[in-house]
Amino acid sequence: MKMVHLILVSVIALIAFYLQIDDPQVVFHVYLPVLAFCFIFGLLQKEPNICHISIMLAVVALTEYSLFSTGLIDLGSPDDDYLIVGTKIFGIQLLINLFAIALFIFRVQISRFFSSSSKIVLTDFDGLFHWLFIVAGIMNVLALIENALRNGLGWLSLTLIYDIYTFVGSAIMALTCGLLLTMLILQAKNKQLT
């Protein structure tokens, strides 16, 4: 089996696994150890790019998790106005995605600010991570529009984005893990060749 096929199968398996879980809290508790594994691998291989990307992904995930799961952002009750609650939730997630996009666009500069390692370079993967958060941001914009149409204008049958929101989120997390694991595999392969 070629390496490309192995990576593709791994990403598809992660997507299927995350979708089967169907609980954002549990998915988060599976996602974070993958990031920790990648960080430790980067430390052991003395590869700061992998370490910094892992930390940045963890910061984004922990920010979102801490805001929503701890009750800092109220997810609403059945008596609340769903237009306001949905706008608040999807708006904050959009802000988190914009933060992540900026974080990954300027990843090399941020890494160089915190480390003086000469190994910090623009990798082939740096151009991909921010696109995953752009897709997540687009989903949040669409969710905001759908929320306004559904709860503001009374189009109650409009649930397309709401129905696929968890799937897209799980797929983005799985693709993020797949990209990071691909970086690890290529790093290990390059070490074996030298």
Side-chain angles (χ1 to χ4, degrees):
M1 180 180 275
K2 290 184 178 180
M3 189 65 65
V4 172
H5 296 129
L6 179 64
I7 292 167
L8 183 61
V9 167
S10 299
V11 170
I12 292 170
L14 279 169
I15 292 171
F17 179 66
Y18 286 165
L19 287 175
Q20 288 299 316
I21 293 173
D22 198 28
D23 182 355
Q25 296 231 6
V26 176
V27 169
F28 171 78
H29 288 0
V30 173
Y31 180 66
L32 211 54
V34 172
L35 297 180
F37 168 77
C38 295
F39 175 76
I40 291 168
F41 178 89
L43 279 178
L44 294 175
Q45 294 291 316
K46 296 184 173 94
E47 181 50 53
N49 295 308
I50 293 172
C51 290
H52 293 177
I53 290 172
S54 300
I55 289 170
M56 289 177 179
L57 289 169
V59 164
V60 172
L62 285 167
T63 300
E64 184 173 5
Y65 182 79
S66 63
L67 287 174
F68 291 105
S69 70
T70 62
L72 194 59
I73 301 297
D74 183 24
L75 298 177
S77 65
D79 297 335
D80 289 344
D81 182 2
Y82 288 121
L83 178 62
I84 294 171
V85 171
T87 301
K88 182 172 51 172
I89 291 169
F90 296 126
I92 289 171
Q93 287 182 329
L94 178 60
L95 290 175
I96 292 170
N97 288 321
L98 292 173
F99 167 72
I101 292 166
L103 200 61
F104 283 99
I105 285 176
F106 298 109
R107 200 273 310 164
V108 174
Q109 293 85 345
I110 294 168
S111 293
R112 287 184 180 154
F113 179 77
F114 288 106
S115 174
S116 60
S117 174
S118 62
K119 290 185 173 183
I120 295 175
V121 293
L122 187 67
T123 69
D124 295 333
F125 296 90
D126 281 307
L128 300 174
F129 282 106
H130 71 274
W131 281 104
L132 294 175
F133 291 103
I134 289 172
V135 169
I138 290 169
M139 280 300 294
N140 283 309
V141 168
L142 292 174
L144 282 165
I145 293 168
E146 183 180 86
N147 180 54
L149 293 173
R150 179 176 163 79
N151 296 308
L153 298 178
W155 295 7
L156 299 178
S157 62
L158 183 62
T159 61
L160 175 67
I161 302 302
Y162 180 78
D163 293 339
I164 65 170
Y165 195 80
T166 304
F167 172 79
V168 173
S170 296
I172 288 170
M173 290 176 85
L175 287 169
T176 301
C177 289
L179 285 174
L180 205 50
L181 292 172
T182 303
M183 285 183 75
L184 300 184
I185 291 167
L186 292 176
Q187 177 64 27
K189 189 175 180 181
N190 288 341
K191 287 267 186 181
Q192 288 177 350
L193 295 175
T194 57

mmCIF file of all heavy atoms in Angstrom, residues 10-51:
data_model
loop_
_atom_site.group_PDB
_atom_site.id
_atom_site.type_symbol
_atom_site.label_atom_id
_atom_site.label_comp_id
_atom_site.label_asym_id
_atom_site.label_seq_id
_atom_site.Cartn_x
_atom_site.Cartn_y
_atom_site.Cartn_z
ATOM 1 N N SER A 10 -6.549 6.689 6.487
ATOM 2 C CA SER A 10 -6.527 7.198 7.863
ATOM 3 C C SER A 10 -7.491 8.375 8.039
ATOM 4 O O SER A 10 -8.220 8.440 9.028
ATOM 5 C CB SER A 10 -5.117 7.637 8.256
ATOM 6 O OG SER A 10 -4.238 6.556 8.200
ATOM 7 N N VAL A 11 -7.489 9.294 7.088
ATOM 8 C CA VAL A 11 -8.378 10.458 7.176
ATOM 9 C C VAL A 11 -9.836 10.019 7.082
ATOM 10 O O VAL A 11 -10.681 10.474 7.862
ATOM 11 C CB VAL A 11 -8.038 11.501 6.083
ATOM 12 C CG1 VAL A 11 -9.096 12.578 6.001
ATOM 13 C CG2 VAL A 11 -6.679 12.113 6.349
ATOM 14 N N ILE A 12 -10.147 9.117 6.156
ATOM 15 C CA ILE A 12 -11.518 8.620 6.027
ATOM 16 C C ILE A 12 -11.947 7.886 7.297
ATOM 17 O O ILE A 12 -13.075 8.055 7.774
ATOM 18 C CB ILE A 12 -11.664 7.724 4.774
ATOM 19 C CG1 ILE A 12 -11.517 8.578 3.512
ATOM 20 C CG2 ILE A 12 -13.003 6.989 4.775
ATOM 21 C CD1 ILE A 12 -11.398 7.795 2.225
ATOM 22 N N ALA A 13 -11.040 7.111 7.867
ATOM 23 C CA ALA A 13 -11.355 6.401 9.118
ATOM 24 C C ALA A 13 -11.598 7.389 10.262
ATOM 25 O O ALA A 13 -12.517 7.189 11.073
ATOM 26 C CB ALA A 13 -10.217 5.448 9.475
ATOM 27 N N LEU A 14 -10.803 8.452 10.329
ATOM 28 C CA LEU A 14 -11.017 9.469 11.362
ATOM 29 C C LEU A 14 -12.364 10.166 11.185
ATOM 30 O O LEU A 14 -13.076 10.398 12.162
ATOM 31 C CB LEU A 14 -9.887 10.512 11.329
ATOM 32 C CG LEU A 14 -8.593 10.134 12.016
ATOM 33 C CD1 LEU A 14 -7.495 11.136 11.662
ATOM 34 C CD2 LEU A 14 -8.779 10.065 13.516
ATOM 35 N N ILE A 15 -12.719 10.493 9.952
ATOM 36 C CA ILE A 15 -14.018 11.127 9.705
ATOM 37 C C ILE A 15 -15.138 10.198 10.146
ATOM 38 O O ILE A 15 -16.062 10.606 10.855
ATOM 39 C CB ILE A 15 -14.183 11.514 8.214
ATOM 40 C CG1 ILE A 15 -13.220 12.643 7.836
ATOM 41 C CG2 ILE A 15 -15.621 11.941 7.908
ATOM 42 C CD1 ILE A 15 -13.164 12.949 6.357
ATOM 43 N N ALA A 16 -15.053 8.935 9.745
ATOM 44 C CA ALA A 16 -16.092 7.971 10.120
ATOM 45 C C ALA A 16 -16.157 7.804 11.634
ATOM 46 O O ALA A 16 -17.249 7.744 12.218
ATOM 47 C CB ALA A 16 -15.822 6.626 9.446
ATOM 48 N N PHE A 17 -14.994 7.752 12.276
ATOM 49 C CA PHE A 17 -14.944 7.580 13.722
ATOM 50 C C PHE A 17 -15.563 8.782 14.439
ATOM 51 O O PHE A 17 -16.395 8.632 15.332
ATOM 52 C CB PHE A 17 -13.503 7.369 14.169
ATOM 53 C CG PHE A 17 -13.333 7.211 15.650
ATOM 54 C CD1 PHE A 17 -13.853 6.114 16.308
ATOM 55 C CD2 PHE A 17 -12.658 8.176 16.386
ATOM 56 C CE1 PHE A 17 -13.699 5.960 17.675
ATOM 57 C CE2 PHE A 17 -12.506 8.033 17.748
ATOM 58 C CZ PHE A 17 -13.025 6.928 18.397
ATOM 59 N N TYR A 18 -15.187 9.990 14.016
ATOM 60 C CA TYR A 18 -15.730 11.200 14.642
ATOM 61 C C TYR A 18 -17.238 11.304 14.438
ATOM 62 O O TYR A 18 -17.965 11.746 15.321
ATOM 63 C CB TYR A 18 -15.048 12.453 14.107
ATOM 64 C CG TYR A 18 -13.635 12.679 14.611
ATOM 65 C CD1 TYR A 18 -12.797 13.581 13.994
ATOM 66 C CD2 TYR A 18 -13.131 11.979 15.699
ATOM 67 C CE1 TYR A 18 -11.503 13.802 14.447
ATOM 68 C CE2 TYR A 18 -11.844 12.191 16.154
ATOM 69 C CZ TYR A 18 -11.044 13.098 15.523
ATOM 70 O OH TYR A 18 -9.769 13.308 15.974
ATOM 71 N N LEU A 19 -17.713 10.884 13.250
ATOM 72 C CA LEU A 19 -19.153 10.939 12.996
ATOM 73 C C LEU A 19 -19.920 9.908 13.829
ATOM 74 O O LEU A 19 -21.040 10.158 14.250
ATOM 75 C CB LEU A 19 -19.435 10.725 11.509
ATOM 76 C CG LEU A 19 -19.085 11.898 10.615
ATOM 77 C CD1 LEU A 19 -19.293 11.540 9.160
ATOM 78 C CD2 LEU A 19 -19.910 13.114 10.983
ATOM 79 N N GLN A 20 -19.303 8.766 14.049
ATOM 80 C CA GLN A 20 -19.949 7.738 14.867
ATOM 81 C C GLN A 20 -20.077 8.192 16.317
ATOM 82 O O GLN A 20 -21.045 7.856 16.985
ATOM 83 C CB GLN A 20 -19.176 6.415 14.798
ATOM 84 C CG GLN A 20 -19.313 5.702 13.485
ATOM 85 C CD GLN A 20 -20.750 5.339 13.183
ATOM 86 O OE1 GLN A 20 -21.481 4.858 14.038
ATOM 87 N NE2 GLN A 20 -21.180 5.592 11.961
ATOM 88 N N ILE A 21 -19.112 8.927 16.776
ATOM 89 C CA ILE A 21 -19.157 9.421 18.157
ATOM 90 C C ILE A 21 -20.334 10.374 18.315
ATOM 91 O O ILE A 21 -21.101 10.280 19.254
ATOM 92 C CB ILE A 21 -17.831 10.108 18.550
ATOM 93 C CG1 ILE A 21 -16.711 9.074 18.593
ATOM 94 C CG2 ILE A 21 -17.975 10.802 19.896
ATOM 95 C CD1 ILE A 21 -15.336 9.663 18.809
ATOM 96 N N ASP A 22 -20.474 11.312 17.379
ATOM 97 C CA ASP A 22 -21.598 12.255 17.327
ATOM 98 C C ASP A 22 -21.824 13.015 18.631
ATOM 99 O O ASP A 22 -22.951 13.316 18.998
ATOM 100 C CB ASP A 22 -22.876 11.523 16.913
ATOM 101 C CG ASP A 22 -23.942 12.499 16.419
ATOM 102 O OD1 ASP A 22 -23.571 13.568 15.909
ATOM 103 O OD2 ASP A 22 -25.133 12.193 16.580
ATOM 104 N N ASP A 23 -20.745 13.288 19.346
ATOM 105 C CA ASP A 23 -20.822 14.085 20.565
ATOM 106 C C ASP A 23 -19.604 14.996 20.586
ATOM 107 O O ASP A 23 -18.470 14.513 20.743
ATOM 108 C CB ASP A 23 -20.840 13.176 21.792
ATOM 109 C CG ASP A 23 -20.965 13.944 23.099
ATOM 110 O OD1 ASP A 23 -20.940 15.193 23.077
ATOM 111 O OD2 ASP A 23 -21.081 13.292 24.151
ATOM 112 N N PRO A 24 -19.796 16.310 20.408
ATOM 113 C CA PRO A 24 -18.652 17.224 20.326
ATOM 114 C C PRO A 24 -17.706 17.144 21.521
ATOM 115 O O PRO A 24 -16.500 17.298 21.368
ATOM 116 C CB PRO A 24 -19.304 18.608 20.236
ATOM 117 C CG PRO A 24 -20.661 18.366 19.708
ATOM 118 C CD PRO A 24 -21.072 17.011 20.214
ATOM 119 N N GLN A 25 -18.225 16.882 22.706
ATOM 120 C CA GLN A 25 -17.358 16.794 23.881
ATOM 121 C C GLN A 25 -16.433 15.585 23.781
ATOM 122 O O GLN A 25 -15.250 15.674 24.086
ATOM 123 C CB GLN A 25 -18.204 16.715 25.154
ATOM 124 C CG GLN A 25 -19.013 17.961 25.363
ATOM 125 C CD GLN A 25 -18.846 18.523 26.745
ATOM 126 O OE1 GLN A 25 -18.048 18.068 27.528
ATOM 127 N NE2 GLN A 25 -19.609 19.554 27.033
ATOM 128 N N VAL A 26 -16.966 14.441 23.350
ATOM 129 C CA VAL A 26 -16.157 13.230 23.222
ATOM 130 C C VAL A 26 -15.161 13.386 22.071
ATOM 131 O O VAL A 26 -13.999 12.993 22.194
ATOM 132 C CB VAL A 26 -17.054 11.989 23.033
ATOM 133 C CG1 VAL A 26 -16.222 10.738 22.799
ATOM 134 C CG2 VAL A 26 -17.971 11.809 24.235
ATOM 135 N N VAL A 27 -15.613 13.964 20.959
ATOM 136 C CA VAL A 27 -14.716 14.194 19.823
ATOM 137 C C VAL A 27 -13.547 15.071 20.260
ATOM 138 O O VAL A 27 -12.394 14.806 19.909
ATOM 139 C CB VAL A 27 -15.473 14.826 18.631
ATOM 140 C CG1 VAL A 27 -14.506 15.301 17.556
ATOM 141 C CG2 VAL A 27 -16.458 13.834 18.041
ATOM 142 N N PHE A 28 -13.826 16.100 21.048
ATOM 143 C CA PHE A 28 -12.767 16.971 21.555
ATOM 144 C C PHE A 28 -11.766 16.161 22.384
ATOM 145 O O PHE A 28 -10.560 16.341 22.256
ATOM 146 C CB PHE A 28 -13.362 18.100 22.397
ATOM 147 C CG PHE A 28 -12.323 18.903 23.128
ATOM 148 C CD1 PHE A 28 -11.580 19.858 22.466
ATOM 149 C CD2 PHE A 28 -12.073 18.674 24.475
ATOM 150 C CE1 PHE A 28 -10.610 20.598 23.129
ATOM 151 C CE2 PHE A 28 -11.112 19.408 25.145
ATOM 152 C CZ PHE A 28 -10.383 20.371 24.471
ATOM 153 N N HIS A 29 -12.274 15.255 23.209
ATOM 154 C CA HIS A 29 -11.391 14.456 24.074
ATOM 155 C C HIS A 29 -10.599 13.407 23.278
ATOM 156 O O HIS A 29 -9.635 12.850 23.796
ATOM 157 C CB HIS A 29 -12.192 13.786 25.178
ATOM 158 C CG HIS A 29 -12.684 14.740 26.223
ATOM 159 N ND1 HIS A 29 -12.439 16.084 26.208
ATOM 160 C CD2 HIS A 29 -13.430 14.544 27.325
ATOM 161 C CE1 HIS A 29 -12.997 16.675 27.239
ATOM 162 N NE2 HIS A 29 -13.619 15.768 27.940
ATOM 163 N N VAL A 30 -11.000 13.128 22.057
ATOM 164 C CA VAL A 30 -10.218 12.259 21.174
ATOM 165 C C VAL A 30 -9.244 13.103 20.357
ATOM 166 O O VAL A 30 -8.106 12.695 20.104
ATOM 167 C CB VAL A 30 -11.151 11.441 20.252
ATOM 168 C CG1 VAL A 30 -10.372 10.663 19.218
ATOM 169 C CG2 VAL A 30 -12.032 10.506 21.074
ATOM 170 N N TYR A 31 -9.670 14.276 19.942
ATOM 171 C CA TYR A 31 -8.870 15.180 19.105
ATOM 172 C C TYR A 31 -7.644 15.699 19.852
ATOM 173 O O TYR A 31 -6.538 15.727 19.300
ATOM 174 C CB TYR A 31 -9.773 16.343 18.666
ATOM 175 C CG TYR A 31 -9.147 17.399 17.798
ATOM 176 C CD1 TYR A 31 -8.709 17.116 16.517
ATOM 177 C CD2 TYR A 31 -9.043 18.719 18.242
ATOM 178 C CE1 TYR A 31 -8.167 18.099 15.708
ATOM 179 C CE2 TYR A 31 -8.514 19.703 17.443
ATOM 180 C CZ TYR A 31 -8.075 19.395 16.173
ATOM 181 O OH TYR A 31 -7.538 20.366 15.376
ATOM 182 N N LEU A 32 -7.826 16.079 21.102
ATOM 183 C CA LEU A 32 -6.723 16.648 21.882
ATOM 184 C C LEU A 32 -5.562 15.678 22.080
ATOM 185 O O LEU A 32 -4.401 16.083 21.915
ATOM 186 C CB LEU A 32 -7.247 17.181 23.215
ATOM 187 C CG LEU A 32 -6.508 18.378 23.781
ATOM 188 C CD1 LEU A 32 -6.432 19.525 22.803
ATOM 189 C CD2 LEU A 32 -7.165 18.829 25.064
ATOM 190 N N PRO A 33 -5.796 14.394 22.394
ATOM 191 C CA PRO A 33 -4.663 13.469 22.496
ATOM 192 C C PRO A 33 -3.909 13.273 21.179
ATOM 193 O O PRO A 33 -2.694 13.065 21.190
ATOM 194 C CB PRO A 33 -5.307 12.159 22.955
ATOM 195 C CG PRO A 33 -6.531 12.568 23.665
ATOM 196 C CD PRO A 33 -7.020 13.785 22.923
ATOM 197 N N VAL A 34 -4.613 13.362 20.050
ATOM 198 C CA VAL A 34 -3.924 13.277 18.756
ATOM 199 C C VAL A 34 -2.972 14.465 18.618
ATOM 200 O O VAL A 34 -1.812 14.300 18.203
ATOM 201 C CB VAL A 34 -4.933 13.232 17.582
ATOM 202 C CG1 VAL A 34 -4.219 13.355 16.237
ATOM 203 C CG2 VAL A 34 -5.758 11.959 17.634
ATOM 204 N N LEU A 35 -3.445 15.649 18.994
ATOM 205 C CA LEU A 35 -2.574 16.831 18.945
ATOM 206 C C LEU A 35 -1.407 16.700 19.911
ATOM 207 O O LEU A 35 -0.273 17.080 19.589
ATOM 208 C CB LEU A 35 -3.378 18.097 19.257
ATOM 209 C CG LEU A 35 -4.496 18.461 18.286
ATOM 210 C CD1 LEU A 35 -5.193 19.736 18.729
ATOM 211 C CD2 LEU A 35 -3.981 18.590 16.870
ATOM 212 N N ALA A 36 -1.659 16.137 21.091
ATOM 213 C CA ALA A 36 -0.589 15.933 22.078
ATOM 214 C C ALA A 36 0.445 14.939 21.547
ATOM 215 O O ALA A 36 1.652 15.149 21.703
ATOM 216 C CB ALA A 36 -1.171 15.444 23.399
ATOM 217 N N PHE A 37 -0.028 13.868 20.913
ATOM 218 C CA PHE A 37 0.890 12.887 20.313
ATOM 219 C C PHE A 37 1.776 13.560 19.267
ATOM 220 O O PHE A 37 2.992 13.339 19.227
ATOM 221 C CB PHE A 37 0.099 11.738 19.680
ATOM 222 C CG PHE A 37 0.929 10.844 18.812
ATOM 223 C CD1 PHE A 37 1.777 9.901 19.376
ATOM 224 C CD2 PHE A 37 0.874 10.954 17.426
ATOM 225 C CE1 PHE A 37 2.558 9.089 18.567
ATOM 226 C CE2 PHE A 37 1.653 10.149 16.613
ATOM 227 C CZ PHE A 37 2.498 9.200 17.185
ATOM 228 N N CYS A 38 1.175 14.382 18.411
ATOM 229 C CA CYS A 38 1.934 15.083 17.367
ATOM 230 C C CYS A 38 2.947 16.046 17.986
ATOM 231 O O CYS A 38 4.077 16.157 17.511
ATOM 232 C CB CYS A 38 0.992 15.810 16.422
ATOM 233 S SG CYS A 38 -0.061 14.693 15.470
ATOM 234 N N PHE A 39 2.544 16.735 19.040
ATOM 235 C CA PHE A 39 3.454 17.646 19.726
ATOM 236 C C PHE A 39 4.650 16.885 20.303
ATOM 237 O O PHE A 39 5.803 17.302 20.136
ATOM 238 C CB PHE A 39 2.714 18.393 20.836
ATOM 239 C CG PHE A 39 3.607 19.263 21.669
ATOM 240 C CD1 PHE A 39 4.062 20.480 21.187
ATOM 241 C CD2 PHE A 39 4.024 18.853 22.929
ATOM 242 C CE1 PHE A 39 4.904 21.284 21.947
ATOM 243 C CE2 PHE A 39 4.857 19.640 23.697
ATOM 244 C CZ PHE A 39 5.301 20.862 23.209
ATOM 245 N N ILE A 40 4.382 15.768 20.963
ATOM 246 C CA ILE A 40 5.468 14.960 21.559
ATOM 247 C C ILE A 40 6.380 14.409 20.467
ATOM 248 O O ILE A 40 7.603 14.419 20.606
ATOM 249 C CB ILE A 40 4.888 13.833 22.435
ATOM 250 C CG1 ILE A 40 4.238 14.448 23.675
ATOM 251 C CG2 ILE A 40 5.957 12.820 22.825
ATOM 252 C CD1 ILE A 40 3.392 13.488 24.475
ATOM 253 N N PHE A 41 5.798 13.965 19.359
ATOM 254 C CA PHE A 41 6.597 13.493 18.230
ATOM 255 C C PHE A 41 7.506 14.616 17.737
ATOM 256 O O PHE A 41 8.691 14.402 17.478
ATOM 257 C CB PHE A 41 5.694 13.012 17.096
ATOM 258 C CG PHE A 41 6.457 12.560 15.879
ATOM 259 C CD1 PHE A 41 6.877 11.246 15.761
ATOM 260 C CD2 PHE A 41 6.757 13.446 14.856
ATOM 261 C CE1 PHE A 41 7.583 10.823 14.646
ATOM 262 C CE2 PHE A 41 7.460 13.038 13.739
ATOM 263 C CZ PHE A 41 7.877 11.722 13.629
ATOM 264 N N GLY A 42 6.952 15.809 17.595
ATOM 265 C CA GLY A 42 7.745 16.955 17.154
ATOM 266 C C GLY A 42 8.880 17.269 18.111
ATOM 267 O O GLY A 42 9.983 17.612 17.693
ATOM 268 N N LEU A 43 8.603 17.160 19.412
ATOM 269 C CA LEU A 43 9.665 17.375 20.408
ATOM 270 C C LEU A 43 10.774 16.340 20.286
ATOM 271 O O LEU A 43 11.964 16.677 20.299
ATOM 272 C CB LEU A 43 9.095 17.317 21.828
ATOM 273 C CG LEU A 43 8.402 18.558 22.373
ATOM 274 C CD1 LEU A 43 7.874 18.291 23.776
ATOM 275 C CD2 LEU A 43 9.336 19.747 22.387
ATOM 276 N N LEU A 44 10.372 15.076 20.169
ATOM 277 C CA LEU A 44 11.358 14.001 20.084
ATOM 278 C C LEU A 44 12.191 14.080 18.801
ATOM 279 O O LEU A 44 13.370 13.758 18.802
ATOM 280 C CB LEU A 44 10.676 12.638 20.180
ATOM 281 C CG LEU A 44 10.002 12.318 21.516
ATOM 282 C CD1 LEU A 44 9.253 11.000 21.431
ATOM 283 C CD2 LEU A 44 11.026 12.300 22.645
ATOM 284 N N GLN A 45 11.567 14.514 17.729
ATOM 285 C CA GLN A 45 12.263 14.642 16.445
ATOM 286 C C GLN A 45 12.960 15.992 16.288
ATOM 287 O O GLN A 45 13.571 16.245 15.262
ATOM 288 C CB GLN A 45 11.271 14.440 15.292
ATOM 289 C CG GLN A 45 10.701 13.051 15.204
ATOM 290 C CD GLN A 45 11.733 12.039 14.792
ATOM 291 O OE1 GLN A 45 12.528 12.266 13.885
ATOM 292 N NE2 GLN A 45 11.750 10.912 15.490
ATOM 293 N N LYS A 46 12.816 16.844 17.310
ATOM 294 C CA LYS A 46 13.368 18.203 17.263
ATOM 295 C C LYS A 46 12.886 18.937 16.017
ATOM 296 O O LYS A 46 13.657 19.530 15.271
ATOM 297 C CB LYS A 46 14.894 18.161 17.335
ATOM 298 C CG LYS A 46 15.397 17.605 18.647
ATOM 299 C CD LYS A 46 16.900 17.669 18.729
ATOM 300 C CE LYS A 46 17.372 17.271 20.089
ATOM 301 N NZ LYS A 46 17.721 15.909 20.267
ATOM 302 N N GLU A 47 11.555 18.881 15.829
ATOM 303 C CA GLU A 47 10.904 19.509 14.693
ATOM 304 C C GLU A 47 9.928 20.567 15.205
ATOM 305 O O GLU A 47 8.783 20.269 15.520
ATOM 306 C CB GLU A 47 10.179 18.446 13.866
ATOM 307 C CG GLU A 47 9.475 18.960 12.644
ATOM 308 C CD GLU A 47 10.336 19.838 11.762
ATOM 309 O OE1 GLU A 47 11.440 19.425 11.384
ATOM 310 O OE2 GLU A 47 9.899 20.967 11.483
ATOM 311 N N PRO A 48 10.398 21.829 15.312
ATOM 312 C CA PRO A 48 9.556 22.874 15.902
ATOM 313 C C PRO A 48 8.307 23.202 15.094
ATOM 314 O O PRO A 48 7.305 23.634 15.661
ATOM 315 C CB PRO A 48 10.485 24.081 15.996
ATOM 316 C CG PRO A 48 11.534 23.838 14.972
ATOM 317 C CD PRO A 48 11.699 22.349 14.891
ATOM 318 N N ASN A 49 8.333 22.996 13.776
ATOM 319 C CA ASN A 49 7.144 23.306 12.969
ATOM 320 C C ASN A 49 5.959 22.445 13.390
ATOM 321 O O ASN A 49 4.845 22.940 13.546
ATOM 322 C CB ASN A 49 7.450 23.118 11.483
ATOM 323 C CG ASN A 49 8.486 24.096 10.991
ATOM 324 O OD1 ASN A 49 8.357 25.296 11.187
ATOM 325 N ND2 ASN A 49 9.534 23.580 10.374
ATOM 326 N N ILE A 50 6.206 21.154 13.587
ATOM 327 C CA ILE A 50 5.140 20.242 14.017
ATOM 328 C C ILE A 50 4.670 20.614 15.422
ATOM 329 O O ILE A 50 3.467 20.632 15.699
ATOM 330 C CB ILE A 50 5.618 18.776 13.952
ATOM 331 C CG1 ILE A 50 5.846 18.373 12.488
ATOM 332 C CG2 ILE A 50 4.607 17.842 14.619
ATOM 333 C CD1 ILE A 50 6.486 17.017 12.306
ATOM 334 N N CYS A 51 5.609 20.928 16.306
ATOM 335 C CA CYS A 51 5.251 21.324 17.676
ATOM 336 C C CYS A 51 4.376 22.564 17.678
ATOM 337 O O CYS A 51 3.336 22.601 18.348
ATOM 338 C CB CYS A 51 6.501 21.593 18.504
ATOM 339 S SG CYS A 51 7.465 20.136 18.893
#
